[in-house]
Amino acid sequence: MQVRAVEAAGAGPAAGGCDATAWAGPRASVGRLGGDEFAAVVQAPAARLEQRLAQLVRMLHTPVVLEDGRMVDVAASVGAASTGILGTRDLTVLQRAADAALYDGKHSGRAHLATAAHTTLPSINGRRAGRPGTAVWGRAA
């Protein structure tokens, strides 16, 4: 499963609102794509997929307490792509589908799971065409 958490408003997950590495587990890969965009590659049984994504959304929406005691609400959008649903293990396809699903579910307050239709959208470097960092093929976004 490829998961993307994007646009954490107020304070990003890296600021202390969510420990994505703990959520993903020891056999997963979690990293920052740039700015406030993060990705995780996680093995999750199909029967628990929705539950795991709901858990991530709850973690990402946990308010962050700043050093001066103020609380900052955090919002995040989550898109996910599953090898079982899409029938591929190609990480480029999975990332593109997760990114497209994320934007379909933006502001919904829940994770959005990619369908086969999400794999047909044009992209560059695994991201929607026209997004910052996608103008030149092969350059990091």
Side-chain angles (χ1 to χ4, degrees):
M1 168 178 64
Q2 164 87 8
V3 177
R4 293 195 48 163
V6 177
E7 294 186 8
C18 172
D19 184 352
T21 303
W23 170 82
R27 298 186 66 196
S29 181
V30 178
R32 180 176 176 201
L33 298 175
D36 56 2
E37 296 188 16
F38 300 84
V41 179
V42 179
Q43 287 185 333
R48 294 196 55 221
L49 183 56
E50 300 254 347
Q51 176 187 8
R52 295 278 287 139
L53 290 171
Q55 178 187 38
L56 176 62
V57 169
R58 281 192 307 275
M59 290 174 72
L60 288 168
H61 285 91
T62 302
V64 174
V65 179
L66 302 177
E67 290 179 9
D68 63 6
R70 290 181 295 151
M71 274 216 310
V72 177
D73 288 329
V74 179
S77 300
V78 176
S82 168
T83 57
I85 293 171
L86 300 181
T88 183
R89 297 178 66 89
D90 183 324
L91 287 177
T92 301
V93 173
L94 293 169
Q95 180 177 351
R96 177 176 58 232
D99 188 59
L102 181 145
Y103 281 90
D104 275 356
K106 202 160 191 59
H107 308 296
S108 70
R110 63 178 183 79
H112 199 78
L113 195 56
T115 64
H118 291 107
T119 64
T120 62
L121 299 173
S123 71
I124 299 170
N125 294 340
R127 303 173 79 198
R128 287 181 306 105
R131 291 192 62 203
T134 61
V136 177
W137 179 256
R139 256 183 41 195

